[in-house]
Amino acid sequence: MKKHWVIGLWVLTSLGCMGRATVPSSRLLPEGARLVDLTYSFDEKTLYWPTSPSSFELKQLSHGMTAAGFFYASNTLCSPEHGGTHLDAPIHFAEGKMTTEQLPLERLIAPAVVVDISADAAGNPDALLQPSHLVAFEKEHGRIEPGTIVLVRSGWGARWPDRKQYLGDDTPGDASKLHFPGISREAAEALVERRVAAVGIDTASIDHGPSKDFIAHQVLMKADIPAFENVAAMEQLPTRGALILALPMKIRGGSGGPLRIVAVLPPA
Ligand SMILES: [Zn+2]
C-alpha cells in the first residue's frame, strides 16, 4: 500500500514537470497495460434522441489575450443528459431508484466482459441480446460474476455519427421508425439475476430501435442497475480482462449525464 502511494506521488510530481506529451502513464498501470478511450467527443455532430428539444452546445466566452498580457479561454456548455456517450441512472426508468450522484463507484469502476452479438446484428438491425447469448458466452469464457460490467457489442459503433445509419432513420422529431440492436426483456432479467454492476452498449439505447415500452431499461433500472449508451471503440476490448472506469458528471438528482468511459487493458 505504502509503495503505491509513493509511486502515485512520483507520477503526480512528474505530470506537473513534464506536460502532457510525455506523461509516464504506465507507472500507474501494470507493465504493458494499455488505456483505451470508449467515449465519443461531444460536439455539434453528437447524436441525441430524435425528440430531444436540444443538443450539445458550446459557447465561447473568452479566447485570446487579456489586457493583463496572458492568454485566457473559457466556454459555457449546455446539453441534454441523454445523448452522446452517456449514463442512464436507474431513476431514468424506475421511480425512487438511484440518481446520478448516488451511484456507488463499485457500479462504475469494475471488470468487464464483452458479449458480441455483431454476427446477429449484421443480418438484423433490430437484433436483441438473448439469454442464449449469455449462456453461450459463459460456456466458452466462464461465468459472468456479480459486480461485472457487461458490454454488449453489436458493431454499430462503425456507423457513428451518421444519424440515418446509426439510428435507422433521420426524420427530425420522429422516434417511431428507429432500427438498431438492443437487449431483450429476458436477457435483462438474466443480467439482473447475475447481479451485474452495470450494462453498456454501442448503440443509442439498451432497448432496440423499434421498442415502445423500453422494457430492458425498466427491468434493469428497477434493480438499480445503470446503463452506458453510445459506448465507443468496443472492438478494441478483449472478451474478458478489461477494467472499466465509467465516470459521469456528478449531477445531483440527475437521471443520467455525459459520461467519460475508459478501459484499462491487461498486458497482451
Ligand atoms: Zn439514456
Side-chain angles (χ1 to χ4, degrees):
M1 201 62 184
K2 213 165 198 175
K3 196 175 162 206
H4 284 127
W5 259 100
V6 174
I7 293 172
L9 279 174
W10 183 86
V11 170
L12 285 174
T13 317
S14 309
L15 291 179
C17 300
M18 294 184 188
R20 67 180 173 187
T22 53
V23 171
S25 59
S26 64
R27 303 279 173 159
L28 277 174
L29 306 171
E31 187 82 21
R34 203 158 62 84
L35 290 167
V36 176
D37 196 342
L38 304 176
T39 317
Y40 295 118
S41 294
F42 285 85
D43 59 24
E44 66 287 348
K45 291 196 184 109
T46 298
L47 296 181
Y48 289 83
W49 204 248
T51 53
S52 177
S54 67
S55 52
F56 184 78
E57 293 166 38
L58 190 71
K59 275 191 204 140
Q60 198 175 87
L61 292 178
S62 312
H63 189 99
M65 292 303 287
T66 61
F70 58 85
F71 176 84
Y72 182 72
S74 121
N75 309 299
T76 61
L77 61 90
C78 188
S79 171
E81 290 174 318
H82 300 274
T85 306
H86 73 279
L87 165 83
D88 279 6
I91 191 145
H92 190 34
F93 276 86
E95 191 176 10
K97 297 298 178 183
M98 281 187 278
T99 49
T100 303
E101 88 288 5
Q102 292 172 337
L103 283 167
L105 289 172
E106 288 74 14
R107 289 204 177 270
L108 304 174
I109 302 176
V113 297
V114 180
V115 182
D116 195 322
I117 61 164
S118 58
D120 293 34
N124 174 16
D126 300 328
L128 288 167
L129 175 79
Q130 299 289 357
S132 58
H133 291 111
L134 298 173
V135 171
F137 176 93
E138 290 185 317
K139 207 167 164 194
E140 198 179 338
H141 304 288
R143 213 176 129 220
I144 298 172
E145 300 287 343
T148 301
I149 293 176
V150 175
L151 298 175
V152 181
R153 181 175 177 247
S154 70
W156 246 237
R159 301 163 180 243
W160 178 274
D162 183 319
R163 177 171 284 273
K164 178 135 201 207
Q165 287 287 311
Y166 192 79
L167 296 176
D169 185 49
D170 59 357
T171 312
D174 183 358
S176 70
K177 292 176 284 186
L178 305 181
H179 295 282
F180 52 79
I183 297 173
S184 71
R185 172 204 279 262
E186 294 76 16
E189 288 166 352
L191 292 166
V192 170
E193 270 168 36
R194 283 165 176 78
R195 294 190 289 127
V196 302
V199 173
I201 195 162
D202 59 352
T203 68
S205 168
I206 55 172
D207 279 286
H208 71 169
S211 176
K212 297 287 175 271
D213 58 6
F214 302 96
I215 193 65
H217 278 89
Q218 291 195 50
V219 167
L220 288 161
M221 294 184 183
K222 208 169 277 174
D224 255 335
I225 297 173
F228 313 136
E229 293 167 333
N230 299 321
V231 176
M234 256 192 218
E235 71 286 351
Q236 294 190 42
L237 298 180
T239 303
R240 234 181 217 294
L243 173 74
I244 297 293
L245 298 95
L247 298 174
M249 185 192 287
K250 194 172 176 180
I251 303 168
R252 189 180 301 282
S255 75
L259 175 69
R260 187 68 187 265
I261 175 169
V262 302
V264 182
L265 269 48

